[in-house]
Amino acid sequence: MTGKGSVKLLTEDGRRLDGRALNEMRRLRIEAGVLKNADGSAYVEWGRNKILVAVYGPRETHPRHEALPDRMLLRCRYSMLPFSVKEERKSPTPTRREVEISKVIREALEPAIFLEDYPRTSVDVYIEVIEADGSTRVASITAAAVALADAGIPMMDLVAGVSIGKIEGKLALDINGLEDQYGEGDMPIAMMPRLGEVTLLQADGRFTREEIVQALSMAREAIQRIYEEQRRALKDRYSGVGLEYGSAGEG
Ligand code: CDP
């Protein structure tokens, strides 16, 4: 396998290999309420990422001993379908990476939920990555927040996320799989958009103090736009304009 930095990720005129400017996001489309049998659901297409989220609950906790006396138990399972990635068929058993991502997704969502309102119950969030092309954890968080709202779970805010990468020494908004693989750094960030609070901040690679500050500000601005798309998806769901009805929607 080729090492990091061996692929040129920026063209002569400063464009990325998919034609985007450094501060440009991939196309994002969210649909809420796409599954009939789940209490809440969402589907996101974000660039070449395709992710489906199903939410069940609040319901009685099984096994019972896992129930928490003073709050709801949130369980998240991030899972990549065997055909979701290019190189090889991914094993269907959860990998260490999936276990870790499931945990950070749960921790990114929890601050937005009124967990204390539903003691002893549980809410299960199943995230299926159908196709992956970089930044899937933040795309999953973004879709999961919509699915939780669609399930009617009381929340103080939504949660939306985006990944800032570093390619050829420059910060790049919403990195794709290739940029993640060959770039110099990746910083997935999630926030409660209305409250402006960060609920996920990870970084791999080298970033200066100034770059971290700039990355947070790039993310904050993008998250406001992502939030608009989340709200549009939920609004369309409740105005009866959704996939289920076969309409294109009016926003
Ligand atoms: O997806 P995210 O950026 O949150 O997590 P990552 O572990 O940094 O993975 C980056 C990307 O690598 C994924 O989005 C996939 O496109 C790709 N990947 C893959 O091709 N095969 C895997 N088994 C895992 C990840």
Side-chain angles (χ1 to χ4, degrees):
M1 197 180 218
T2 345
K4 289 203 170 214
S6 54
V7 168
K8 212 167 165 353
L9 294 170
L10 284 178
T11 62
E12 299 298 309
D13 59 355
R15 295 251 154 204
R16 294 149 79 174
L17 296 187
D18 57 10
R20 282 186 291 156
L22 283 165
N23 198 20
E24 193 175 334
M25 237 172 62
R26 291 173 289 182
R27 183 181 174 275
L28 168 66
R29 175 80 186 174
I30 308 172
E31 294 288 341
V34 291
L35 299 172
K36 277 208 170 66
N37 292 345
D39 294 315
S41 59
Y43 174 66
V44 64
E45 283 191 4
W46 190 334
R48 279 158 47 192
N49 287 313
K50 294 189 172 70
I51 300 171
L52 183 63
V53 181
V55 169
Y56 297 87
R59 58 187 179 182
E60 207 179 314
T61 302
H62 292 289
R64 272 197 140 122
H65 69 263
E66 282 186 12
L68 303 171
D70 55 345
R71 60 179 210 137
M72 167 206 292
L73 173 69
L74 182 71
R75 290 185 288 218
C76 294
R77 193 196 69 187
Y78 164 102
S79 165
M80 276 182 145
L81 288 176
F83 53 79
S84 64
V85 284
K86 254 188 202 149
E87 302 89 55
E88 71 218 49
R89 182 181 171 281
K90 195 208 134 279
S91 159
T93 49
T95 59
R96 263 184 56 185
R97 175 180 172 276
E98 287 168 310
V99 173
E100 189 236 276
I101 293 183
S102 299
K103 177 177 182 283
V104 300
I105 289 174
R106 175 173 56 74
E107 290 174 349
L109 293 168
E110 274 179 340
I113 304 172
F114 289 107
L115 299 168
E116 294 78 14
D117 287 1
Y118 294 86
R120 307 203 58 78
T121 68
S122 55
V123 167
D124 290 287
V125 181
Y126 296 103
I127 298 157
E128 300 295 337
V129 179
I130 301 164
E131 269 183 31
D133 187 25
S135 310
T136 59
R137 78 194 60 200
V138 286
S140 299
I141 290 166
T142 301
V146 171
L148 284 163
D150 180 47
I153 311 288
M155 296 162 81
M156 64 186 82
D157 200 350
L158 290 176
V159 185
V162 71
S163 266
I164 310 295
K166 189 167 166 183
I167 55 178
E168 301 191 15
K170 296 194 171 76
L171 295 182
L173 181 66
D174 179 29
I175 54 161
N176 63 29
L178 198 71
E179 293 170 337
D180 179 274
Q181 193 176 348
Y182 296 107
E184 295 129 56
D186 173 19
M187 201 187 296
I189 300 168
M191 292 182 193
M192 293 194 273
R194 212 170 42 77
L195 300 172
E197 286 177 24
V198 174
T199 67
L200 170 85
L201 178 56
Q202 296 184 295
D204 111 45
R206 287 173 64 179
F207 292 92
T208 63
R209 180 197 289 259
E210 290 70 32
E211 283 168 344
I212 293 172
V213 172
Q214 198 195 334
L216 272 164
S217 127
M218 278 169 90
R220 193 176 293 281
E221 194 271 323
I223 280 168
Q224 289 307 316
R225 285 183 277 143
I226 299 163
Y227 180 48
E228 288 308 312
E229 175 60 10
Q230 290 177 307
R231 285 175 18 143
R232 188 209 50 77
L234 286 164
K235 227 168 85 188
D236 279 4
R237 160 76 164 144
Y238 290 104
S239 60
V241 189
L243 267 189
E244 208 181 319
Y245 300 90
S247 163
E250 287 164 359

